[in-house]
Amino acid sequence: MRLLGTTPNARRPTVIKRHSAFTRFWHWINVVCLAILLMSGLQIFNAHPALYWGKDSTFEAPSLSIGAMRDEDGSLRGITRIGDFRFDTTGVLGVSGPGTDRERRAFPAWATLPGPRWLAMGRQWHFLAGWLFAPLLAAYLLYLVASGQLRRRLLPRRHEWSRIGHVIGKHLRLRFPRGEEARHYNLLQKLAYLLVLFVVAPLVVLTGLTMSPTMDAAWPWLLDLFGGRQSARTLHFIAAATLLAFFVVHVLLVLVSGVGNNLRSMITGRYALPPDHILPPQKETRDDAPH
Amino acid sequence: MTHPTDPGRRRFLTRGLLAGGTLMLAGCDRLSRSDAMQRLFSASEGLTQQAHRLLASREALAREYGPDDIAPTFRANGTTMPREVDYLRLAANDFRDWRLEVQGLVERPQAFSLDDLRALPARTQITRHDCVEGWSCIGQWTGAVLGEVLARVGVRDEARFVVFHCADRYHGGDRYYESLDLREAYHPQTLLAYELNGGDLPVANGAPLRLRAERQLGYKMAKYVMRIELVASFAHLGRGRGGYWEDRGYRWWAGI
């Protein structure tokens, strides 16, 4: 077994510098910001757990609402409505808390910051994190463009499109690029990062700005862009949910595609290209025999 | 041997999770109230206000809507029926004896009847009300331009804020009050409104007079206004933070 430690250099993985210091700093600040923004956002949402489309609230016909009703036997049931569809979501949405002490609450207490019910303070956390998130996002996007990284690393090249079916197939089987192929982001990664960085994240910031009546006086065009205050609020919620979904998938892919290597690349910047060819075990033993 | 579904173990785990959750919530609670976080929140509020000052000029108007946009019923929030005896007496008489007192750091303290206010330069505007909770409602407001009222009484140089003292006690607590700085007070859309959607202001919406400050959130727009006081600071009012909700943790700058 010790022989494996003396593998020839050709087998040793190539280590590349994958992320700049700014990217790594930005990434970890975002982890904190996003957690605070999402959780305090749900706290704020809980103050009026309904979404509408248009300029103002059509209280009788929300697009989505999370509420509670009391059953004939006196127990509370959580009801989530999307358009005309109703779902019983007791325990998670509408009604949650320990079995003996169920409470009316749109999102459960464990998901909201800072406490189970504290709109004033949830807003403070939201704005504080927003003041970090939004300027850093703007700076990072500028940096990507100005440093040429956008063009070099994120914009798909023409030849990549022809292999899109292949890449999707490999991803679905959780087989990730190895060797030289892993030196660059693949098409799916590029598209996901482009979408999140240049569409979803700016959308969440801009719709967030239109929640402010003073901003609406300053930049009325922004409100028009989103079709009104309540549409903007709904889009803010959808964009936030998309960020959360990206976050979850991102973490899962980091876990299955080599958590140590990926984490190191986000801490020190160094990423080891996964070895190109992994020989089947029986062949490997035979090859190793002469040593 | 313990089975995973053993009720004792399950109870232990549930309690453990609950205790952990409670500790975490308590931690967040303590952190939120700590001096360091309070300073950060104040800094963030200051930054927001400065940014708004920079982007929204003194005159930038809140969006005005068309008659078709008016909501069928304007949602009434907060107190919708004051129980205070002095208010009820005035309401019983259709507010004929009601007077708006304007005092404090002014040259000529005055009391205005509703007719006096109606005689002042007025403005009608269809605007959107944004509640801090997240909902919005569009309504048409008519009222005296606050700047004109201030011009009648003559604001003294030391004055920095306009405080609105109200008749109601939300949930039987302290009297409701709110405040604006002079920049928002002199904004052309800042009204002392006596009409909603072309009729007298209903009691649920703040009869006989409420504040409209359209570039601010709903909690700024005091209902049942009885007295206006020009002040240099909030120190002598309530808990010293410039408003009923501000005294309860909401930030004074309600532009967001």
Side-chain angles (χ1 to χ4, degrees), chain B residues 174-216:
Chain B
D174 303 333
R175 291 250 179 197
Y176 200 93
Y177 76 103
E178 257 304 340
S179 60
L180 292 179
D181 59 13
L182 288 173
R183 179 171 159 137
E184 287 302 310
Y186 280 115
H187 186 263
Q189 286 171 321
T190 300
L191 306 184
L192 294 171
Y194 40 71
E195 277 182 24
L196 169 61
N197 296 339
D200 281 348
L201 188 62
V203 167
N205 299 101
L209 194 75
R210 79 172 297 173
L211 175 65
R212 296 301 310 170
E214 308 294 357
R215 304 192 299 183
Q216 303 269 296

mmCIF file of all heavy atoms in Angstrom, chain B residues 174-216:
data_model
loop_
_atom_site.group_PDB
_atom_site.id
_atom_site.type_symbol
_atom_site.label_atom_id
_atom_site.label_comp_id
_atom_site.label_asym_id
_atom_site.label_seq_id
_atom_site.Cartn_x
_atom_site.Cartn_y
_atom_site.Cartn_z
ATOM 1 N N ASP B 174 -49.822 54.548 25.284
ATOM 2 C CA ASP B 174 -49.555 55.996 25.269
ATOM 3 C C ASP B 174 -50.316 56.641 24.119
ATOM 4 O O ASP B 174 -50.739 55.971 23.187
ATOM 5 C CB ASP B 174 -48.060 56.252 25.053
ATOM 6 C CG ASP B 174 -47.208 55.563 26.106
ATOM 7 O OD1 ASP B 174 -47.723 55.345 27.216
ATOM 8 O OD2 ASP B 174 -46.045 55.231 25.787
ATOM 9 N N ARG B 175 -50.446 57.973 24.202
ATOM 10 C CA ARG B 175 -51.033 58.710 23.077
ATOM 11 C C ARG B 175 -50.134 58.545 21.857
ATOM 12 O O ARG B 175 -48.915 58.572 21.968
ATOM 13 C CB ARG B 175 -51.099 60.199 23.412
ATOM 14 C CG ARG B 175 -52.097 60.504 24.483
ATOM 15 C CD ARG B 175 -53.291 61.246 23.935
ATOM 16 N NE ARG B 175 -54.233 61.483 25.021
ATOM 17 C CZ ARG B 175 -55.497 61.803 24.852
ATOM 18 N NH1 ARG B 175 -55.968 61.910 23.624
ATOM 19 N NH2 ARG B 175 -56.281 62.009 25.872
ATOM 20 N N TYR B 176 -50.764 58.378 20.703
ATOM 21 C CA TYR B 176 -50.000 58.244 19.459
ATOM 22 C C TYR B 176 -49.369 59.601 19.139
ATOM 23 O O TYR B 176 -50.002 60.643 19.321
ATOM 24 C CB TYR B 176 -50.921 57.818 18.322
ATOM 25 C CG TYR B 176 -50.196 57.195 17.147
ATOM 26 C CD1 TYR B 176 -50.041 55.818 17.069
ATOM 27 C CD2 TYR B 176 -49.670 57.980 16.124
ATOM 28 C CE1 TYR B 176 -49.385 55.223 15.997
ATOM 29 C CE2 TYR B 176 -48.997 57.397 15.058
ATOM 30 C CZ TYR B 176 -48.864 56.017 14.999
ATOM 31 O OH TYR B 176 -48.212 55.434 13.944
ATOM 32 N N TYR B 177 -48.174 59.597 18.692
ATOM 33 C CA TYR B 177 -47.562 60.829 18.183
ATOM 34 C C TYR B 177 -46.538 60.453 17.138
ATOM 35 O O TYR B 177 -46.085 59.309 17.085
ATOM 36 C CB TYR B 177 -46.950 61.657 19.319
ATOM 37 C CG TYR B 177 -45.644 61.146 19.873
ATOM 38 C CD1 TYR B 177 -44.440 61.762 19.530
ATOM 39 C CD2 TYR B 177 -45.599 60.057 20.731
ATOM 40 C CE1 TYR B 177 -43.230 61.301 20.036
ATOM 41 C CE2 TYR B 177 -44.396 59.589 21.242
ATOM 42 C CZ TYR B 177 -43.217 60.209 20.887
ATOM 43 O OH TYR B 177 -42.023 59.748 21.367
ATOM 44 N N GLU B 178 -46.215 61.397 16.273
ATOM 45 C CA GLU B 178 -45.228 61.157 15.222
ATOM 46 C C GLU B 178 -44.498 62.448 14.922
ATOM 47 O O GLU B 178 -44.896 63.512 15.397
ATOM 48 C CB GLU B 178 -45.920 60.623 13.947
ATOM 49 C CG GLU B 178 -45.750 59.125 13.753
ATOM 50 C CD GLU B 178 -44.290 58.688 13.731
ATOM 51 O OE1 GLU B 178 -43.392 59.516 13.489
ATOM 52 O OE2 GLU B 178 -44.053 57.490 13.961
ATOM 53 N N SER B 179 -43.436 62.354 14.138
ATOM 54 C CA SER B 179 -42.692 63.570 13.820
ATOM 55 C C SER B 179 -42.078 63.494 12.427
ATOM 56 O O SER B 179 -41.796 62.423 11.913
ATOM 57 C CB SER B 179 -41.581 63.776 14.860
ATOM 58 O OG SER B 179 -40.705 62.672 14.844
ATOM 59 N N LEU B 180 -41.906 64.668 11.832
ATOM 60 C CA LEU B 180 -41.212 64.809 10.548
ATOM 61 C C LEU B 180 -40.122 65.845 10.721
ATOM 62 O O LEU B 180 -40.238 66.745 11.567
ATOM 63 C CB LEU B 180 -42.172 65.329 9.473
ATOM 64 C CG LEU B 180 -43.325 64.458 8.981
ATOM 65 C CD1 LEU B 180 -44.122 65.246 7.941
ATOM 66 C CD2 LEU B 180 -42.812 63.162 8.372
ATOM 67 N N ASP B 181 -39.073 65.766 9.910
ATOM 68 C CA ASP B 181 -38.141 66.892 9.906
ATOM 69 C C ASP B 181 -38.704 67.959 8.960
ATOM 70 O O ASP B 181 -39.689 67.729 8.254
ATOM 71 C CB ASP B 181 -36.714 66.459 9.543
ATOM 72 C CG ASP B 181 -36.633 65.813 8.181
ATOM 73 O OD1 ASP B 181 -37.614 65.910 7.411
ATOM 74 O OD2 ASP B 181 -35.591 65.207 7.879
ATOM 75 N N LEU B 182 -38.068 69.134 8.964
ATOM 76 C CA LEU B 182 -38.661 70.247 8.207
ATOM 77 C C LEU B 182 -38.619 69.982 6.709
ATOM 78 O O LEU B 182 -39.476 70.437 5.966
ATOM 79 C CB LEU B 182 -37.955 71.557 8.569
ATOM 80 C CG LEU B 182 -38.312 72.036 9.983
ATOM 81 C CD1 LEU B 182 -37.479 73.241 10.382
ATOM 82 C CD2 LEU B 182 -39.803 72.356 10.102
ATOM 83 N N ARG B 183 -37.629 69.212 6.267
ATOM 84 C CA ARG B 183 -37.534 68.916 4.836
ATOM 85 C C ARG B 183 -38.779 68.165 4.359
ATOM 86 O O ARG B 183 -39.372 68.513 3.336
ATOM 87 C CB ARG B 183 -36.284 68.081 4.579
ATOM 88 C CG ARG B 183 -36.115 67.718 3.128
ATOM 89 C CD ARG B 183 -34.753 67.093 2.921
ATOM 90 N NE ARG B 183 -34.745 66.288 1.699
ATOM 91 C CZ ARG B 183 -33.745 66.303 0.830
ATOM 92 N NH1 ARG B 183 -32.710 67.061 1.023
ATOM 93 N NH2 ARG B 183 -33.783 65.537 -0.236
ATOM 94 N N GLU B 184 -39.199 67.136 5.110
ATOM 95 C CA GLU B 184 -40.399 66.399 4.722
ATOM 96 C C GLU B 184 -41.650 67.231 4.994
ATOM 97 O O GLU B 184 -42.639 67.140 4.259
ATOM 98 C CB GLU B 184 -40.492 65.056 5.462
ATOM 99 C CG GLU B 184 -39.508 63.998 4.998
ATOM 100 C CD GLU B 184 -39.602 63.650 3.519
ATOM 101 O OE1 GLU B 184 -40.715 63.379 3.019
ATOM 102 O OE2 GLU B 184 -38.551 63.663 2.859
ATOM 103 N N ALA B 185 -41.602 68.037 6.069
ATOM 104 C CA ALA B 185 -42.780 68.836 6.430
ATOM 105 C C ALA B 185 -43.113 69.860 5.344
ATOM 106 O O ALA B 185 -44.281 70.126 5.069
ATOM 107 C CB ALA B 185 -42.550 69.542 7.770
ATOM 108 N N TYR B 186 -42.084 70.418 4.714
ATOM 109 C CA TYR B 186 -42.311 71.446 3.680
ATOM 110 C C TYR B 186 -42.466 70.845 2.283
ATOM 111 O O TYR B 186 -42.570 71.569 1.309
ATOM 112 C CB TYR B 186 -41.162 72.461 3.672
ATOM 113 C CG TYR B 186 -41.273 73.510 4.760
ATOM 114 C CD1 TYR B 186 -40.336 73.588 5.786
ATOM 115 C CD2 TYR B 186 -42.329 74.437 4.758
ATOM 116 C CE1 TYR B 186 -40.431 74.551 6.779
ATOM 117 C CE2 TYR B 186 -42.440 75.399 5.750
ATOM 118 C CZ TYR B 186 -41.484 75.445 6.759
ATOM 119 O OH TYR B 186 -41.594 76.394 7.727
ATOM 120 N N HIS B 187 -42.448 69.524 2.176
ATOM 121 C CA HIS B 187 -42.605 68.889 0.863
ATOM 122 C C HIS B 187 -44.002 69.194 0.336
ATOM 123 O O HIS B 187 -44.968 69.194 1.094
ATOM 124 C CB HIS B 187 -42.399 67.368 1.002
ATOM 125 C CG HIS B 187 -42.395 66.647 -0.304
ATOM 126 N ND1 HIS B 187 -43.510 66.032 -0.809
ATOM 127 C CD2 HIS B 187 -41.417 66.470 -1.220
ATOM 128 C CE1 HIS B 187 -43.206 65.489 -1.986
ATOM 129 N NE2 HIS B 187 -41.947 65.742 -2.259
ATOM 130 N N PRO B 188 -44.113 69.506 -0.977
ATOM 131 C CA PRO B 188 -45.423 69.929 -1.504
ATOM 132 C C PRO B 188 -46.541 68.893 -1.329
ATOM 133 O O PRO B 188 -47.716 69.260 -1.314
ATOM 134 C CB PRO B 188 -45.143 70.170 -2.988
ATOM 135 C CG PRO B 188 -43.782 69.652 -3.262
ATOM 136 C CD PRO B 188 -43.051 69.620 -1.971
ATOM 137 N N GLN B 189 -46.199 67.603 -1.203
ATOM 138 C CA GLN B 189 -47.256 66.599 -1.042
ATOM 139 C C GLN B 189 -47.566 66.286 0.423
ATOM 140 O O GLN B 189 -48.389 65.418 0.693
ATOM 141 C CB GLN B 189 -46.852 65.288 -1.735
ATOM 142 C CG GLN B 189 -46.930 65.340 -3.251
ATOM 143 C CD GLN B 189 -46.321 64.114 -3.887
ATOM 144 O OE1 GLN B 189 -45.302 63.623 -3.411
ATOM 145 N NE2 GLN B 189 -46.918 63.627 -4.957
ATOM 146 N N THR B 190 -46.898 66.960 1.337
ATOM 147 C CA THR B 190 -47.180 66.700 2.749
ATOM 148 C C THR B 190 -48.415 67.507 3.160
ATOM 149 O O THR B 190 -48.394 68.737 3.158
ATOM 150 C CB THR B 190 -45.955 67.042 3.620
ATOM 151 O OG1 THR B 190 -44.874 66.231 3.197
ATOM 152 C CG2 THR B 190 -46.249 66.776 5.086
ATOM 153 N N LEU B 191 -49.479 66.767 3.462
ATOM 154 C CA LEU B 191 -50.791 67.397 3.703
ATOM 155 C C LEU B 191 -51.307 67.097 5.099
ATOM 156 O O LEU B 191 -50.981 66.064 5.688
ATOM 157 C CB LEU B 191 -51.840 66.856 2.712
ATOM 158 C CG LEU B 191 -51.588 66.910 1.222
ATOM 159 C CD1 LEU B 191 -52.817 66.392 0.480
ATOM 160 C CD2 LEU B 191 -51.236 68.325 0.775
ATOM 161 N N LEU B 192 -52.154 68.020 5.579
ATOM 162 C CA LEU B 192 -53.032 67.703 6.699
ATOM 163 C C LEU B 192 -54.369 67.396 6.036
ATOM 164 O O LEU B 192 -55.129 68.295 5.665
ATOM 165 C CB LEU B 192 -53.135 68.891 7.659
ATOM 166 C CG LEU B 192 -51.810 69.225 8.372
ATOM 167 C CD1 LEU B 192 -51.922 70.530 9.139
ATOM 168 C CD2 LEU B 192 -51.406 68.093 9.318
ATOM 169 N N ALA B 193 -54.644 66.084 5.848
ATOM 170 C CA ALA B 193 -55.765 65.694 5.000
ATOM 171 C C ALA B 193 -57.063 65.646 5.786
ATOM 172 O O ALA B 193 -57.113 65.107 6.888
ATOM 173 C CB ALA B 193 -55.479 64.332 4.373
ATOM 174 N N TYR B 194 -58.119 66.235 5.189
ATOM 175 C CA TYR B 194 -59.450 66.174 5.794
ATOM 176 C C TYR B 194 -60.446 65.444 4.894
ATOM 177 O O TYR B 194 -61.591 65.267 5.263
ATOM 178 C CB TYR B 194 -59.965 67.573 6.166
ATOM 179 C CG TYR B 194 -59.649 68.661 5.138
ATOM 180 C CD1 TYR B 194 -60.283 68.692 3.902
ATOM 181 C CD2 TYR B 194 -58.703 69.651 5.422
ATOM 182 C CE1 TYR B 194 -59.991 69.672 2.968
ATOM 183 C CE2 TYR B 194 -58.390 70.634 4.485
ATOM 184 C CZ TYR B 194 -59.035 70.636 3.254
ATOM 185 O OH TYR B 194 -58.729 71.598 2.325
ATOM 186 N N GLU B 195 -59.988 65.021 3.686
ATOM 187 C CA GLU B 195 -60.876 64.267 2.799
ATOM 188 C C GLU B 195 -60.181 63.025 2.270
ATOM 189 O O GLU B 195 -58.989 63.063 1.976
ATOM 190 C CB GLU B 195 -61.287 65.126 1.583
ATOM 191 C CG GLU B 195 -62.442 66.053 1.860
ATOM 192 C CD GLU B 195 -62.831 66.850 0.617
ATOM 193 O OE1 GLU B 195 -62.552 66.380 -0.514
ATOM 194 O OE2 GLU B 195 -63.378 67.951 0.783
ATOM 195 N N LEU B 196 -60.953 61.949 2.132
ATOM 196 C CA LEU B 196 -60.469 60.732 1.495
ATOM 197 C C LEU B 196 -61.456 60.348 0.400
ATOM 198 O O LEU B 196 -62.666 60.269 0.652
ATOM 199 C CB LEU B 196 -60.347 59.592 2.523
ATOM 200 C CG LEU B 196 -60.109 58.181 1.962
ATOM 201 C CD1 LEU B 196 -58.798 58.103 1.173
ATOM 202 C CD2 LEU B 196 -60.079 57.144 3.094
ATOM 203 N N ASN B 197 -60.948 60.136 -0.805
ATOM 204 C CA ASN B 197 -61.768 59.750 -1.963
ATOM 205 C C ASN B 197 -62.981 60.658 -2.151
ATOM 206 O O ASN B 197 -64.086 60.200 -2.453
ATOM 207 C CB ASN B 197 -62.209 58.287 -1.838
ATOM 208 C CG ASN B 197 -61.033 57.329 -1.874
ATOM 209 O OD1 ASN B 197 -59.954 57.681 -2.356
ATOM 210 N ND2 ASN B 197 -61.225 56.133 -1.357
ATOM 211 N N GLY B 198 -62.780 61.972 -1.932
ATOM 212 C CA GLY B 198 -63.818 62.947 -2.226
ATOM 213 C C GLY B 198 -64.848 63.145 -1.131
ATOM 214 O O GLY B 198 -65.741 63.988 -1.272
ATOM 215 N N GLY B 199 -64.763 62.404 -0.033
ATOM 216 C CA GLY B 199 -65.707 62.603 1.070
ATOM 217 C C GLY B 199 -64.958 62.957 2.340
ATOM 218 O O GLY B 199 -63.715 62.913 2.362
ATOM 219 N N ASP B 200 -65.695 63.313 3.394
ATOM 220 C CA ASP B 200 -65.040 63.610 4.668
ATOM 221 C C ASP B 200 -64.217 62.403 5.101
ATOM 222 O O ASP B 200 -64.599 61.261 4.868
ATOM 223 C CB ASP B 200 -66.089 63.914 5.745
ATOM 224 C CG ASP B 200 -66.613 65.340 5.612
ATOM 225 O OD1 ASP B 200 -66.004 66.120 4.844
ATOM 226 O OD2 ASP B 200 -67.633 65.653 6.253
ATOM 227 N N LEU B 201 -63.091 62.670 5.731
ATOM 228 C CA LEU B 201 -62.218 61.600 6.207
ATOM 229 C C LEU B 201 -62.982 60.731 7.206
ATOM 230 O O LEU B 201 -63.493 61.244 8.205
ATOM 231 C CB LEU B 201 -60.991 62.236 6.864
ATOM 232 C CG LEU B 201 -59.845 61.338 7.269
ATOM 233 C CD1 LEU B 201 -59.231 60.649 6.065
ATOM 234 C CD2 LEU B 201 -58.782 62.167 7.988
ATOM 235 N N PRO B 202 -63.135 59.422 6.960
ATOM 236 C CA PRO B 202 -63.842 58.565 7.921
ATOM 237 C C PRO B 202 -63.063 58.434 9.231
ATOM 238 O O PRO B 202 -61.836 58.592 9.230
ATOM 239 C CB PRO B 202 -63.904 57.209 7.207
ATOM 240 C CG PRO B 202 -63.570 57.463 5.776
ATOM 241 C CD PRO B 202 -62.696 58.677 5.774
ATOM 242 N N VAL B 203 -63.773 58.116 10.293
ATOM 243 C CA VAL B 203 -63.128 57.954 11.602
ATOM 244 C C VAL B 203 -62.051 56.864 11.526
ATOM 245 O O VAL B 203 -60.952 57.014 12.056
ATOM 246 C CB VAL B 203 -64.182 57.627 12.683
ATOM 247 C CG1 VAL B 203 -63.502 57.149 13.970
ATOM 248 C CG2 VAL B 203 -65.040 58.851 12.959
ATOM 249 N N ALA B 204 -62.341 55.754 10.840
ATOM 250 C CA ALA B 204 -61.370 54.655 10.772
ATOM 251 C C ALA B 204 -60.055 55.094 10.135
ATOM 252 O O ALA B 204 -58.998 54.535 10.421
ATOM 253 C CB ALA B 204 -61.956 53.492 9.971
ATOM 254 N N ASN B 205 -60.118 56.113 9.278
ATOM 255 C CA ASN B 205 -58.910 56.589 8.602
ATOM 256 C C ASN B 205 -58.323 57.852 9.234
ATOM 257 O O ASN B 205 -57.416 58.447 8.670
ATOM 258 C CB ASN B 205 -59.187 56.824 7.116
ATOM 259 C CG ASN B 205 -59.627 55.561 6.400
ATOM 260 O OD1 ASN B 205 -60.821 55.370 6.153
ATOM 261 N ND2 ASN B 205 -58.706 54.679 6.090
ATOM 262 N N GLY B 206 -58.876 58.254 10.402
ATOM 263 C CA GLY B 206 -58.217 59.331 11.147
ATOM 264 C C GLY B 206 -58.965 60.633 11.291
ATOM 265 O O GLY B 206 -58.346 61.662 11.547
ATOM 266 N N ALA B 207 -60.289 60.640 11.136
ATOM 267 C CA ALA B 207 -61.073 61.881 11.208
ATOM 268 C C ALA B 207 -60.777 62.647 12.497
ATOM 269 O O ALA B 207 -60.551 62.037 13.524
ATOM 270 C CB ALA B 207 -62.568 61.544 11.140
ATOM 271 N N PRO B 208 -60.809 63.960 12.475
ATOM 272 C CA PRO B 208 -61.114 64.782 11.300
ATOM 273 C C PRO B 208 -59.882 65.137 10.463
ATOM 274 O O PRO B 208 -60.030 65.630 9.358
ATOM 275 C CB PRO B 208 -61.673 66.048 11.939
ATOM 276 C CG PRO B 208 -60.918 66.168 13.233
ATOM 277 C CD PRO B 208 -60.689 64.759 13.709
ATOM 278 N N LEU B 209 -58.673 64.827 10.962
ATOM 279 C CA LEU B 209 -57.477 65.287 10.254
ATOM 280 C C LEU B 209 -56.342 64.291 10.445
ATOM 281 O O LEU B 209 -56.091 63.832 11.558
ATOM 282 C CB LEU B 209 -57.040 66.650 10.824
ATOM 283 C CG LEU B 209 -56.024 67.431 10.006
ATOM 284 C CD1 LEU B 209 -56.692 68.040 8.782
ATOM 285 C CD2 LEU B 209 -55.382 68.533 10.847
ATOM 286 N N ARG B 210 -55.695 63.941 9.336
ATOM 287 C CA ARG B 210 -54.532 63.069 9.455
ATOM 288 C C ARG B 210 -53.394 63.601 8.604
ATOM 289 O O ARG B 210 -53.593 64.413 7.700
ATOM 290 C CB ARG B 210 -54.862 61.648 9.029
ATOM 291 C CG ARG B 210 -54.894 61.468 7.523
ATOM 292 C CD ARG B 210 -55.026 60.027 7.128
ATOM 293 N NE ARG B 210 -53.882 59.227 7.568
ATOM 294 C CZ ARG B 210 -53.827 57.907 7.456
ATOM 295 N NH1 ARG B 210 -54.844 57.246 6.952
ATOM 296 N NH2 ARG B 210 -52.765 57.252 7.833
ATOM 297 N N LEU B 211 -52.212 63.130 8.911
ATOM 298 C CA LEU B 211 -51.032 63.546 8.163
ATOM 299 C C LEU B 211 -50.864 62.641 6.935
ATOM 300 O O LEU B 211 -51.084 61.441 7.003
ATOM 301 C CB LEU B 211 -49.802 63.424 9.073
ATOM 302 C CG LEU B 211 -48.453 63.709 8.424
ATOM 303 C CD1 LEU B 211 -48.355 65.158 7.994
ATOM 304 C CD2 LEU B 211 -47.323 63.355 9.389
ATOM 305 N N ARG B 212 -50.513 63.219 5.807
ATOM 306 C CA ARG B 212 -50.048 62.451 4.647
ATOM 307 C C ARG B 212 -48.624 62.903 4.325
ATOM 308 O O ARG B 212 -48.397 64.068 4.011
ATOM 309 C CB ARG B 212 -50.934 62.686 3.416
ATOM 310 C CG ARG B 212 -52.371 62.232 3.534
ATOM 311 C CD ARG B 212 -52.519 60.777 3.822
ATOM 312 N NE ARG B 212 -51.750 59.915 2.932
ATOM 313 C CZ ARG B 212 -51.589 58.598 3.130
ATOM 314 N NH1 ARG B 212 -52.137 58.019 4.183
ATOM 315 N NH2 ARG B 212 -50.889 57.896 2.297
ATOM 316 N N ALA B 213 -47.673 62.007 4.448
ATOM 317 C CA ALA B 213 -46.282 62.290 4.078
ATOM 318 C C ALA B 213 -45.910 61.186 3.107
ATOM 319 O O ALA B 213 -45.489 60.107 3.511
ATOM 320 C CB ALA B 213 -45.386 62.286 5.309
ATOM 321 N N GLU B 214 -46.124 61.439 1.825
ATOM 322 C CA GLU B 214 -46.185 60.355 0.847
ATOM 323 C C GLU B 214 -44.859 59.669 0.566
ATOM 324 O O GLU B 214 -44.839 58.620 -0.055
ATOM 325 C CB GLU B 214 -46.809 60.861 -0.463
ATOM 326 C CG GLU B 214 -48.143 61.567 -0.299
ATOM 327 C CD GLU B 214 -49.264 60.641 0.180
ATOM 328 O OE1 GLU B 214 -49.006 59.434 0.327
ATOM 329 O OE2 GLU B 214 -50.389 61.132 0.405
ATOM 330 N N ARG B 215 -43.757 60.247 0.991
ATOM 331 C CA ARG B 215 -42.476 59.579 0.740
ATOM 332 C C ARG B 215 -42.032 58.773 1.962
ATOM 333 O O ARG B 215 -40.868 58.388 2.081
ATOM 334 C CB ARG B 215 -41.412 60.625 0.375
ATOM 335 C CG ARG B 215 -41.846 61.487 -0.818
ATOM 336 C CD ARG B 215 -40.720 62.300 -1.372
ATOM 337 N NE ARG B 215 -40.162 63.224 -0.401
ATOM 338 C CZ ARG B 215 -39.189 64.083 -0.689
ATOM 339 N NH1 ARG B 215 -38.667 64.110 -1.902
ATOM 340 N NH2 ARG B 215 -38.734 64.902 0.227
ATOM 341 N N GLN B 216 -42.983 58.549 2.881
ATOM 342 C CA GLN B 216 -42.681 57.813 4.103
ATOM 343 C C GLN B 216 -43.625 56.613 4.234
ATOM 344 O O GLN B 216 -44.633 56.537 3.536
ATOM 345 C CB GLN B 216 -42.866 58.741 5.311
ATOM 346 C CG GLN B 216 -42.030 59.991 5.247
ATOM 347 C CD GLN B 216 -40.684 59.815 5.916
ATOM 348 O OE1 GLN B 216 -40.594 59.602 7.102
ATOM 349 N NE2 GLN B 216 -39.629 59.902 5.125
#
